[in-house]
Amino acid sequence: MHKKIIALALVPPAPAAFVHPGLLHTSADFERIIPKVETLTEPWISGWYKLTNNSYSSSDYVPSPQAEIYRGDDGEHTQNYPSLYRDIAAGYNMALQWKITGDTSYADAAVSILDGWSSTLTLLGGSTDAALAAGIYGYEFANVAELMRDYDGWSSEGLAAFIDMMAKVFYPISHDFLVRHNDAEIDHYWANWDLCNIAAIMSLGVLSDNETMYHEGLDYFKNGEGNGQVNKMIWQLYDDVDGQTLGQGQEAGRDQGHALLDFALLGPIALTGYHQGEDLFEYQDNLLLAGAEYVAKYNMGQDVPYTTYTNSDVTQDVISDSGRGGIRPIWELLYNHYGVLKGLDVTWTQQLRDLVVEDGSGAEGGGSDYGSVSGAFDQLGHGTLMYTLEAI
Ligand SMILES: *[C@@H]1O[C@H](CO)[C@@H](O)[C@H](O)[C@H]1NC(C)=O
Ligand SMILES: *[C@@H]1O[C@H](CO)[C@@H](O)[C@H](O)[C@H]1NC(C)=O
C-alpha cells in the first residue's frame, strides 16, 4: 500500500491541462502573423500600422494604477474606471508589439502595467455596474497577462501576484453576479452582463490553470439560468430568404449598441473555448453565426425578421433602431473563423467587417480608435492584424 502511494507520487505531473497562451491568441497565431508583418503583407501590415499608430501604443506610456476603482454612481465616489480600461488597452498593445517584434521595451511596459495594478488595486466598487467592470476588464486584463506569461523579464512571482489580485478583486464579483444577479428576477439583466462575466471567469480560469473556474464560465454559457446562456442570448431562429439561418439576439429590441456588444463578448468566449479544445463556434449548428448574421444584417441597413421580446421588465414589439450601424472592431474574429476557416456563409458579418475597415486604414483598430468613452474599450480590437487567416 505504502509503496504504491510513493510510486504514484513519483509519476511525472500530467501535461498541463490548458494551452498557453490560449485565450484570444496562441503561439501559432504569432507564427502566422510575424512573417506577414516582416514582409509588409496586406492586410496584416495595415493592421500593424493601425496598432502602432494607436495612442496607447508607445512604450513611454505611463500607467495610473488605483487602489480603488469605481464604475457606476454610488453617490459617494468619483467614477474613475477609465484609468483601468485605458491601462488595459495600453497593456494589450504593448504585449502585441513585444510578441511581434521581440522588442523588450514593450514587454517591460506591459509588465509595469500588470505589476502596477496587481500591487495597488484592492477594490472594484460603484453601483451594480461594478459587475460590468469585473466582467469586461476582467477578461481583457487576463488576456494581457496571458500574453506576457512567457516573458522571461516577468518573474513567476509577478504572474502569481497578478493572478492573486484577479482572484481576490475581480473573480468574486463575477461569480456572485452569475449566482445571484443582485437578487433581481433572473431575466432582469441584459445578456451582456452575463456574457462579460462568463468571459472573465473562463479567462481567469485559463490564466490561473484552474479547471473548476474555467468550467464555471463554460457551463454557464451552456446551461446557466440568466440571459447570457446561449439559447437565451440567441433565442429565436429564422430561415432567411436566401437560405441562411438568422438568430434574433436578446438585446435586439433594446438598442443596437448593446446588441453589438453581445457579439464583442461572444467572439472572445468562443475563441477562448476553441483554443482550449471546445468548439463553441460550431456549438448547436453554428448558433453564434446565426446570431452574428442577424445583428450584422440589421446593422447594415437590411430588414430582419423580429419576434416580440418580453421579460419581467419590458415588452418590445419592434426591433430597436437606436444605435443602428454602430462601429465596433469585433468582426474579423467572427468573419475569419466562420468564413475563412470553416467556409460558411458569412455574408453580413463580412459586409460589416468591410464597413469597419473602410475608414481609410484598411484594418480594425483598438482602444481609443472609435471614441474616448467606455464603449470604445469594450473590446480589445486589432482584429485584422490578429485574426486574419490566409484564404484557402
Ligand atoms: C502609421 O501608419 C502609417 C500608414 O497608415 C505608416 O506609414 C506609419 O509608419 C505608421 N506610424 C507608426 C508609428 O507606426
Ligand atoms: C479554483 O477556483 C475556485 C473557484 O471557481 C476556487 O474555489 C479554488 O480555490 C481555485 N483553486 C485554486 C487551486 O486556486
Side-chain angles (χ1 to χ4, degrees), residues 163 167 171 175 201 205 208-216:
I163 288 171
Y171 172 74
H175 171 77
I201 291 173
S208 60
D209 287 304
N210 185 325
E211 296 235 27
T212 310
M213 197 181 280
Y214 171 72
H215 282 288
E216 178 187 355

Side-chain angles (χ1 to χ4, degrees), residues 51-373:
L51 170 66
T52 53
N53 278 296
N54 187 280
S55 48
Y56 290 84
S57 288
S58 162
S59 59
D60 295 334
Y61 180 83
V62 179
S64 57
Q66 311 290 315
E68 300 180 351
I69 282 291
Y70 295 94
R71 177 166 175 165
D73 188 4
D74 65 1
E76 194 184 335
H77 299 96
T78 304
Q79 295 189 56
N80 62 350
Y81 65 104
S83 55
L84 178 58
Y85 65 61
R86 287 183 196 131
D87 281 8
I88 293 170
Y92 182 64
N93 290 2
M94 302 306 165
L96 294 186
Q97 290 178 100
W98 167 60
K99 282 286 202 186
I100 291 170
T101 65
D103 181 340
T104 56
S105 66
Y106 294 109
D108 293 336
V111 164
S112 84
I113 292 169
L114 294 163
D115 286 348
W117 283 90
S118 65
S119 62
T120 309
L121 185 67
T122 58
L123 178 121
L124 285 182
S127 67
T128 53
D129 286 9
L132 293 175
I136 297 170
Y137 312 138
Y139 104 76
E140 291 184 346
F141 221 170
N143 264 276
V144 179
E146 180 74 0
L147 290 173
M148 297 313 302
R149 66 186 303 145
D150 61 349
Y151 175 46
D152 57 17
W154 198 26
S155 66
S156 53
E157 291 80 9
L159 173 61
F162 184 82
I163 288 171
D164 190 54
M165 181 279 287
M166 295 293 287
K168 285 184 176 140
V169 180
F170 285 75
Y171 172 74
I173 298 174
S174 295
H175 171 77
D176 180 66
F177 184 79
L178 292 186
V179 169
R180 207 171 53 78
H181 293 95
N182 294 310
D183 300 323
E185 294 288 340
I186 193 61
D187 61 3
H188 168 75
Y189 280 97
W190 297 101
N192 73 84
W193 290 71
D194 279 351
L195 292 174
C196 66
N197 286 297
I198 290 168
I201 291 173
M202 284 175 71
S203 299
L204 183 57
V206 173
L207 180 71
S208 60
D209 287 304
N210 185 325
E211 296 235 27
T212 310
M213 197 181 280
Y214 171 72
H215 282 288
E216 178 187 355
L218 186 61
D219 291 348
Y220 204 95
F221 176 82
K222 293 179 176 174
N223 305 310
E225 294 292 315
N227 285 323
Q229 189 273 334
V230 67
N231 302 104
K232 298 190 176 71
M233 166 61 224
I234 300 165
W235 65 278
Q236 185 71 48
L237 295 178
Y238 306 94
D239 291 323
D240 201 22
V241 277
D242 53 7
Q244 260 196 314
T245 304
L246 298 181
Q248 181 176 330
Q250 195 260 339
E251 307 205 49
R254 182 189 183 194
D255 64 64
Q256 296 309 308
H258 288 98
L260 293 167
L261 171 60
D262 291 330
F263 286 85
L265 297 164
L266 286 163
I269 289 169
L271 192 54
T272 297
Y274 185 78
H275 286 154
Q276 297 303 332
E278 170 108 25
D279 192 340
L280 298 178
F281 291 101
E282 68 171 27
Y283 190 64
Q284 295 186 359
D285 281 333
N286 304 303
L287 183 59
L288 297 192
L289 176 60
E293 286 289 283
Y294 179 98
V295 71
K297 185 171 185 180
Y298 183 68
N299 280 276
M300 284 304 298
Q302 304 288 315
D303 290 334
V304 290
Y306 180 83
T307 301
T308 295
Y309 175 76
T310 306
N311 66 20
S312 304
D313 308 306
V314 293
T315 293
Q316 296 169 331
D317 291 322
V318 290
I319 193 166
S320 171
D321 65 3
S322 169
R324 191 176 189 182
I327 297 293
R328 286 184 185 265
I330 61 175
W331 299 105
E332 290 280 23
L333 189 166
L334 294 162
Y335 164 75
N336 278 285
H337 189 91
Y338 281 119
V340 182
L341 184 66
K342 301 269 179 73
L344 298 170
D345 183 347
V346 286
T347 302
W348 303 105
T349 298
Q350 180 169 10
Q351 288 198 21
L352 198 41
R353 188 284 306 264
D354 290 347
L355 185 71
V356 173
V357 308
E358 277 163 13
D359 64 355
S361 69
E364 281 184 358
S368 82
D369 282 327
Y370 305 94
S372 56
V373 295

